[in-house]
Amino acid sequence: MKIQMLGTGSAFAKAFNNNNALLKANGRNLLVDCGITAPKALHELGYNFGEIDAVLLTHIHADHIGGMEEFAFQSKFVFGRKPILYIADTLIDTLWEHSLRGGLQQDPADTLSDYFDVRPLAADTTHELLPGLSVELMLTPHIPNKPSYSLLFNDTFFYSADMVFDPDLLHSLVHDRGVQALFHDCQLHPPGVVHASLPQLLTLPLPIQERTFLMHYGDDQPEFVGRTGAMRFVEQHRVYEWDGLTFA
């Protein structure tokens, strides 16, 4: 498995694209979130929506779903296909009724299924997304009354959605479940109201910090290089190869 971040920026970042990822497994491509900048980022990396086999959404914020309208229209009218949409079963109605319907509905009978092969996912259950790639959705706190799901891939790689600091969860993932790497969103400045802040993440014990890679940061990220303890920043566009144990 390989992961390439289309962007590593926070919702308000301008120097960095939205925090969206491209996972590659056995020649198939899974898009993790599709924010406002995702179409442009894919183009810059030499991809098009016709090459995306499936998309997996974590929650309903524009930096994570703002590119879905273009994805839908291009898939239907340019590439003549209906890509797979993996989404938590609790988010389907909200995505359509409150985010996409106004732009996509051309006929009163149109639904989300006219554009995507919708595959609802239940939380706390392992689902195979692509050959060799499975995921478990974990409901993690972000904003009250707005469900947000972090992702555990192949039982060994944790990818946070937007979430507040939850040291007990991170400890359990590493020490109880054997997770080897964590891509975690990071607000560089306190307080950590809707995201884990860097000062909070720096309180994690060394064995967890050594497995933690920071993403979803602000434009002043270069000022913090070398100030993240044993944690490292995820680099936008860099391809990380997963060998089952560590990131090379």
Side-chain angles (χ1 to χ4, degrees):
M1 188 181 85
K2 300 179 180 180
I3 181 169
Q4 184 175 28
M5 300 302 297
L6 304 185
T8 52
S10 68
F12 304 142
K14 297 297 180 288
F16 301 100
N17 294 326
N18 295 152
N19 198 90
N20 307 158
L22 186 64
L23 270 68
K24 307 176 185 182
N26 296 315
R28 308 283 294 278
N29 294 318
L30 172 73
L31 186 61
V32 178
D33 287 332
C34 184
I36 297 167
T37 63
K40 183 173 183 290
L42 284 169
H43 174 74
E44 291 171 345
L45 290 171
Y47 296 99
N48 61 59
F49 281 122
E51 298 172 278
I52 304 301
D53 297 289
V55 59
L56 169 63
L57 300 181
T58 61
H59 65 292
I60 312 298
H61 270 155
D63 56 323
H64 296 266
I65 58 100
M68 287 293 290
E69 180 177 309
E70 181 174 347
F71 188 10
F73 277 140
Q74 282 213 35
S75 296
K76 184 170 185 176
F77 298 113
V78 177
F79 298 105
R81 57 193 292 268
K82 189 185 291 188
I84 296 170
L85 167 59
Y86 291 113
I87 184 171
D89 48 15
T90 60
L91 298 179
I92 296 173
D93 288 344
T94 302
L95 176 67
W96 177 249
E97 295 294 340
H98 299 291
S99 295
L100 297 182
R101 183 177 180 178
L104 289 180
Q105 192 172 58
Q106 301 183 62
D107 181 278
D110 284 347
T111 68
L112 189 61
S113 296
D114 288 293
Y115 292 93
F116 295 99
D117 177 3
V118 182
R119 309 279 183 92
L121 303 180
D124 304 319
T125 302
T126 300
H127 306 269
E128 184 177 47
L129 305 182
L130 301 175
L133 181 64
S134 65
V135 72
E136 176 186 337
L137 270 63
M138 310 175 105
L139 183 64
T140 46
H142 176 37
I143 291 177
N145 304 312
K146 185 176 284 288
S148 182
Y149 294 88
S150 294
L151 311 170
L152 181 60
F153 290 105
N154 290 3
D155 297 317
T156 53
F157 170 41
F158 177 76
Y159 181 101
S160 81
D162 296 354
M163 61 177 283
V164 299
F165 187 51
D166 189 345
D168 291 339
L169 172 61
L170 302 180
H171 183 280
S172 176
L173 286 169
V174 171
H175 295 291
D176 299 333
R177 302 195 60 174
V179 167
Q180 296 296 315
L182 307 97
F183 272 29
H184 203 298
D185 58 312
C186 175
Q187 182 175 306
L188 297 173
H189 302 275
V193 178
V194 297
H195 294 279
S197 70
L198 179 57
Q200 290 173 321
L201 291 165
L202 283 169
T203 67
L204 292 170
L206 184 62
I208 299 179
Q209 285 197 35
E210 290 175 335
R211 292 167 169 79
T212 301
F213 296 75
L214 306 176
M215 60 183 186
H216 205 286
Y217 40 72
D219 284 340
D220 56 347
Q221 177 264 355
E223 300 173 20
F224 289 83
V225 173
R227 299 165 56 187
T228 59
M231 300 177 290
R232 288 156 282 178
F233 284 115
V234 184
E235 298 177 29
Q236 180 169 290
H237 295 175
R238 178 179 175 182
V239 176
Y240 293 82
E241 295 194 22
W242 178 252
D243 62 8
L245 293 175
T246 59
F247 278 93

